[in-house]
Amino acid sequence: MNAVLSRYATPFITGLFLVSLVSGVALFFHVGQASFHEMHEVLSMVLIAPFVLHAWKNWRSIANYLKRAPMWIGLAVSLAVAVPFAIPSGGGRSGPPQFALAMKVMQGSVTDVAPIFGTDGAGLAAKLTAAGFTVADPSESLTAVAEGSGASVEALAAALVAPPAQ
């Protein structure tokens, strides 16, 4: 087992860190969101395994670092800069403006949103009903239609943009 740790832990840490670095920078600059988002999330989780192997392999060195102030200072500063990102700002969901726009559209009523899709309230209600949603009243919001149908807002959005049934 020690030979496997020595041979693969550090190379996998390096490779997955580089993938995480590149995808993280791309996400920060809003480049290739669709390509990099899932890659960044999943491979960052995969990075945990080689990190644990690397820490196991180098535990003596890590223990020595933990006896000195620079490690504790580095950990404290890292925690201090991370905490503000974890505290809700009260400004609602952050992210690209198209997400905020989509959420605003989903808060609109079936009747109000229908012209965006080239139809009226009754037509959009019929399309949603045909897709399996329950539209009790065209004046209810799209979010309420999704919730009332036991579906996600994402599923309702997919139904809205789906081509008409032939």
Side-chain angles (χ1 to χ4, degrees):
M1 182 67 166
N2 198 18
V4 171
L5 292 176
S6 296
R7 196 171 298 136
Y8 292 107
T10 301
F12 275 110
I13 283 268
T14 304
L16 290 168
F17 172 77
L18 290 172
V19 168
S20 186
L21 173 75
V22 170
S23 60
V25 169
L27 289 171
F28 180 81
F29 289 109
H30 305 290
V31 175
Q33 299 265 340
S35 301
F36 287 116
H37 188 265
E38 187 173 12
M39 174 197 312
H40 187 75
E41 283 184 347
V42 172
L43 293 181
S44 291
M45 295 303 292
V46 171
L47 180 60
I48 294 170
F51 170 79
V52 169
L53 293 174
H54 181 79
W56 184 14
K57 173 186 168 193
N58 295 294
W59 183 247
R60 223 178 256 151
S61 297
I62 293 169
N64 285 332
Y65 269 114
L66 289 170
K67 294 176 185 175
R68 298 185 181 104
M71 176 63 103
W72 291 105
I73 292 169
L75 292 173
V77 170
S78 297
L79 180 63
V81 298
V83 165
F85 289 97
I87 298 172
S89 64
R93 180 185 175 125
S94 64
Q98 59 268 33
F99 290 174
L101 175 63
M103 293 311 294
K104 286 284 188 188
V105 168
M106 296 308 279
Q107 292 168 1
S109 72
V110 173
T111 303
D112 291 340
V113 173
I116 296 171
F117 298 99
T119 187
D120 60 4
L124 188 56
K127 180 177 182 176
L128 291 173
T129 301
F133 293 92
T134 304
V135 182
D137 181 3
S139 66
E140 68 181 325
S141 72
L142 294 172
T143 302
V145 170
E147 289 171 0
S149 302
S152 68
V153 174
E154 292 81 7
L156 189 130
L160 286 172
V161 298
Q166 306 255 334

